[in-house]
């Protein structure tokens, strides 16, 4: 077991690919998990990363198959649990599509980490485990002590926030019961340069906005974050012994209207809709929304650069013209 050997679940995804890339850049040996080793859309972009030939091993896993996770994690001293289904619409069977893989999958990963003698696990949660939280005081910025309202999610069939909230709560219960060192990151709307061949849900939101979609994302939005920042923050939380608890990871807490207005300002050639100024009633804006990460010395990419890097990537890959 090398002190530089780590496992990244969901290694082929938008966040996972960036995390694998930056870990390889730092000399880590990485076990990256994929759903299908025979699918080039999951493997080819990872195998093309610098350092992959010598320091990357790919493992095929199923989050509900404990043995497959144990095989992937074995030999690692650290785990980044990124894998979790991200389906905001078209949910036909929430238990099967979202809840079981997120909740049971997280427990399986943590059990395998514990059995393998892993020193620290960084769990990728989401701001969807912080909002929607309709009972939070509207004059107080949402911080790490704010939790998504589970009953509200059930009543409104908001299955993705429910899956992320329940999975994170389960992770904290497991850590408390077993003593496993767990630290959590709660990213906002993750955007920026795309490494995998497929576009993720957050970048699809930007495409829809450019096409004139007027959906306001009231229950899902707290602000954008550059994908490279998310990956770097994962590594910071893994490497910094003083990091503990949950960590909101957004450039700033903003309303969706703030984001849309900036996109319209930077790219007036697109028909970006105008939104009411307060698209998220009860969400207090905050420039230091990620205060815990800032206090650890983290510096965030600006909103303008997040948008520009995202647009350049979408154009280069042919998603927009």
């Amino acid at each position: 077991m090398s002190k530089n050997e780590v496992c990244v679940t969901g290694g082929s995804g938008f966040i996972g690919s960036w995390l694998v890339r930056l870990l390889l850049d730092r000399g880590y040996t990485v076990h990256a998990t994929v759903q299908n080793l025979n699918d080039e859309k999951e493997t080819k972009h990872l195998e093309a990363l610098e350092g992959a030939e010598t320091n990357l091993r790919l493992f095929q896993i199923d989050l509900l198959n404990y043995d497959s996770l144990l095989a992937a994690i074995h030999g690692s001293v650290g785990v980044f649990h990124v894998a979790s289904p991200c389906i905001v619409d078209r949910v036909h069977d929430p238990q099967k599509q979202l809840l079981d893989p997120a909740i049971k999958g997280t427990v399986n990963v943590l059990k395998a980490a514990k059995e393998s003698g892993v020193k620290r696990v960084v769990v990728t949660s989401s701001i969807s485990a912080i909002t929607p939280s309709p009972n939070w005081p509207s004059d107080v910025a949402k911080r790490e002590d704010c939790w998504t309202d589970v009953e509200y999610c059930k009543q409104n069939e908001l299955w993705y926030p429910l899956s992320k909230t329940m999975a994170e709560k389960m992770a904290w219960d497991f850590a408390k019961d077993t003593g496993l060192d767990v630290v959590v990151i709660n990213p906002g709307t993750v955007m920026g340069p795309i490494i995998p061949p497929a576009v993720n849900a957050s970048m699809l939101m930007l495409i829809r906005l450019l096409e004139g979609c007027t959906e306001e994302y009231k229950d899902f939005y707290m602000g954008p974050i550059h994908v490279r920042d998310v990956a770097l923050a994962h590594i910071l939380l893994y490497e910094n012994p003083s990091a503990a608890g949950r960590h909101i990871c957004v450039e700033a807490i903003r309303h969706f209207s703030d984001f849309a207005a900036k996109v319209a300002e930077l790219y007036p050639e697109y028909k970006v809709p105008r939104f009411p100024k307060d698209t998220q009633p009860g969400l207090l804006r905050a420039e230091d929304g990620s205060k815990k990460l800032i206090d650890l010395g983290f510096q965030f990419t600006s909103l303008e650069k997040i948008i520009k890097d995202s647009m350049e990537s979408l154009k280069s890959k042919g998603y927009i013209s």
Side-chain angles (χ1 to χ4, degrees), residues 10 43 46-47 53 61 108 117 217 219 238 254 267 280 309:
T43 61
L46 293 176
E47 290 168 344
E53 196 173 335
I61 62 107
N108 281 341
Y217 299 91
D219 288 316
Y238 174 67
R254 302 186 185 277
Y267 298 92
Q280 277 101 337
D309 284 358

Side-chain angles (χ1 to χ4, degrees), residues 88 127-128 131-132 158 160-161 189 217-222 280:
V88 176
I127 56 93
S128 289
T131 189
L158 300 173
Y160 177 68
T189 302
Y217 299 91
K218 286 179 180 175
D219 288 316
F220 297 98
Y221 197 83
M222 265 178 71
Q280 277 101 337

Side-chain angles (χ1 to χ4, degrees), residues 18 49 54 63 150 168 173 189 225 274 276 288 310 317:
W18 265 97
L49 294 173
T54 53
L63 286 170
V150 168
E168 190 189 335
D173 287 345
T189 302
I225 179 69
R274 292 181 179 275
D288 66 342
S310 300
K317 292 184 177 287

Side-chain angles (χ1 to χ4, degrees), residues 278-321:
D278 292 330
T279 39
Q280 277 101 337
L283 178 65
L284 188 68
R285 291 171 172 87
E287 290 298 323
D288 66 342
S290 299
K291 188 176 185 309
K292 281 185 72 176
L293 282 170
I294 293 168
D295 287 347
L296 289 171
F298 200 84
Q299 294 183 312
F300 287 88
T301 302
S302 69
L303 175 61
E304 185 169 318
K305 183 161 174 57
I306 292 170
I307 294 168
K308 285 183 175 178
D309 284 358
S310 300
M311 292 292 287
E312 283 175 21
S313 187
L314 290 173
K315 285 179 179 178
S316 72
K317 292 184 177 287
Y319 287 108
I320 59 174
S321 55

